[in-house]
Amino acid sequence: MSIQFGPDYVRAIAPYQGGKPIAEVAREFGLDEAKIIKLASNENPLGMPESAKQAMLGAMADLGRYPDANGFELKQAITGKYDVPAEWITLGNGSNDILELAAHAFVQPGQSVVYAEFSFAVYALATQAVGARAIMVAAKDYGHDLDAMAKAITTDTRLVFIANPNNPTGTFIPAADIAAFLAKVPQNVVVVLDEAYNEYLAPELQYESIAWVRQYPNLLVSRTLSKAYGLAGLRIGFGIAQPAITDLLNRIRQPFNVNSAAQAAAIAALNDSAFLQKSARLNAEGYKQLTEAFDAMNLEYVRSYGNFVLVRVGNDDGAGARINLELLKKGVIVRPVGNYGLPQWLRISIGLPEENAGFIDALKSILS
Ligand SMILES: Cc1ncc(COP(=O)(O)O)c(C=O)c1O
């Protein structure tokens, strides 16, 4: 028998399933790459902002050197934008890095982590990777049931993950509910409030999570530049928390976890409010375009506050995979979510108007 390496809990991990790359679909289905529509990874359909591209090009001359391990200038930009001290910021190789760092820093094997059913897949992965026990709390209307999550916390719970808005369902938790939840959580339990899609929220729904960070030493807010800021490929995100948390995250992160091009691009993107507004506007229009089409096709969908929509494409458990395959054959890449326990649904990232239209046409012809 061959030797098995590593602990059982690592061998039990099912790897993260990302959106299929365009080149792979082109190869597999014999399609022209240029004609493929990818609405599978909640990326910004506008691509990266020109301001970030210029900043990145400027940083290229120095790529022979290591990046600034402490990200001084980027932290200055974040400090300016969110009014927090630099000592409260942890930079991450994507916000995914922050989520994993939190699990590694705060949870030991055998302790537990609480998260919601149908919430972001990385919470389960990060929990498993540290040999912790997952306490997955049943979703309510496809979103977080914060009352049940508070009750699910046990004496060995060290971490809670909350996504607001949530991926892949797009649900949103109003600020008052989060405030009530934070007041209930024991002080030795770290709460990660993952706000990867925050920038897509309408102004009336925006809330000041940083004020909670000031109030609660056990709160870590995580943000990314992969979504509305259009920098998914550069891998850059950050966490904001008081020093008791930030200090530990910074001890275990890789010294150079964020590369110099990403740092330079992120500074430019954070200051590019015109691009952010354009992205949010395009997203709102695309949401209307997609959901009006779903209404016309009589398809159920979950009200989404992010840059994607979860739509039910059939009533049998083979529906998601089947329709996904048909869409791939037509050169449209979306995200099946059977791995989330949602086999009748597909998650569609909101694209450019013509991309949304191409997807709608393909779906119509498949379902008719
Ligand atoms: C809820 C949520 N959190 C975090 C991430 C991680 O994104 P990134 O590592 O690109 O910042 C994603 C990406 O899809 C997400 O949906």
Side-chain angles (χ1 to χ4, degrees):
M1 217 177 83
S2 61
I3 306 170
Q4 286 194 312
F5 296 103
D8 291 347
Y9 60 79
V10 171
R11 281 200 302 273
I13 295 175
Y16 179 79
Q17 293 171 9
K20 266 180 173 294
I22 290 177
E24 188 182 311
V25 172
R27 269 196 310 276
E28 254 180 60
F29 295 89
L31 300 165
D32 176 1
E33 264 190 45
K35 296 209 175 105
I36 289 179
I37 298 172
K38 183 177 181 228
L39 303 174
S41 300
N42 299 347
E43 294 147 343
N44 190 326
L46 293 172
M48 76 188 290
E50 187 55 34
S51 57
K53 209 175 282 176
Q54 291 309 322
M56 202 180 95
L57 290 174
M60 273 177 65
D62 269 337
L63 285 182
R65 298 195 182 279
Y66 282 100
D68 176 357
N70 292 315
F72 177 81
E73 287 182 21
L74 175 52
K75 284 185 184 171
Q76 289 299 108
I78 297 169
T79 293
K81 196 164 169 123
Y82 296 99
D83 192 22
V84 290
E87 299 73 42
W88 290 28
I89 300 164
T90 310
L91 301 181
N93 193 252
S95 62
N96 197 133
D97 198 14
I98 303 295
L99 307 177
E100 283 180 21
L101 287 171
H104 282 280
F106 305 118
V107 193
Q108 285 176 22
Q111 293 179 329
S112 67
V113 177
V114 171
Y115 54 82
E117 181 188 22
F118 310 142
S119 64
F120 185 43
V122 167
Y123 307 154
L125 288 174
T127 301
Q128 281 180 295
V130 296
R133 187 166 56 88
I135 300 180
M136 190 173 79
V137 177
K140 193 164 129 189
D141 299 328
Y142 298 100
H144 294 61
D145 181 346
L146 287 187
D147 286 338
M149 287 178 75
K151 287 193 188 111
I153 293 171
T154 68
T155 50
D156 68 10
T157 302
R158 291 294 176 275
L159 189 61
V160 179
F161 284 113
I162 296 175
N164 202 35
N166 183 44
N167 171 27
T169 61
T171 51
F172 173 71
I173 312 165
D177 296 4
I178 299 176
F181 176 79
L182 291 172
K184 278 189 253 179
V185 174
Q187 286 175 359
N188 67 335
V189 176
V190 173
V191 176
V192 174
L193 180 57
D194 175 351
E195 299 185 334
Y197 301 96
N198 171 277
E199 293 79 9
Y200 291 110
L201 291 174
E204 65 275 15
L205 296 177
Q206 290 283 354
Y207 54 90
E208 266 259 19
S209 47
I210 304 307
W212 293 328
V213 173
R214 288 192 195 97
Q215 192 180 349
Y216 294 104
N218 60 331
L219 177 63
L220 167 62
V221 168
S222 118
R223 291 290 189 98
T224 185
L225 283 98
S226 298
K227 310 297 178 185
Y229 289 105
L231 301 182
L234 279 175
R235 311 306 301 128
I236 168 85
F238 57 92
I240 299 180
Q242 291 191 27
I245 285 181
T246 303
D247 186 38
L248 290 193
L249 299 178
N250 275 307
R251 286 184 206 199
I252 61 165
R253 73 174 171 84
Q254 280 184 47
F256 304 106
N257 62 336
V258 179
N259 68 75
S260 346
Q263 291 188 31
I267 295 167
L270 284 169
N271 289 317
D272 195 339
S273 50
F275 181 81
L276 205 58
Q277 279 168 16
K278 189 175 168 190
S279 302
R281 200 168 50 239
L282 183 78
N283 190 63
E285 288 162 9
Y287 180 77
K288 195 161 171 281
Q289 185 185 4
L290 287 177
T291 52
E292 282 178 0
F294 296 152
D295 285 335
M297 285 187 264
N298 258 324
L299 294 177
E300 182 186 353
Y301 57 89
V302 180
R303 166 82 174 97
S304 174
Y305 295 82
N307 64 344
F308 53 89
V309 191
L310 189 71
V311 60
R312 184 180 233 144
V313 290
N315 298 321
D316 65 280
D317 285 353
R322 193 172 59 243
I323 305 297
N324 180 58
L325 180 63
E326 292 307 314
L327 285 166
L328 285 173
K329 288 183 194 162
K330 290 181 181 293
V332 181
I333 317 175
V334 299
R335 186 71 73 92
V337 281
N339 58 324
Y340 280 92
L342 295 162
Q344 304 178 356
W345 301 75
L346 291 174
R347 191 197 67 192
I348 321 300
S349 302
I350 297 169
L352 298 171
E354 57 275 23
E355 294 174 322
N356 300 331
F359 156 73
I360 292 165
D361 284 349
L363 185 64
K364 267 189 196 151
S365 80
I366 291 165
L367 294 179
S368 65

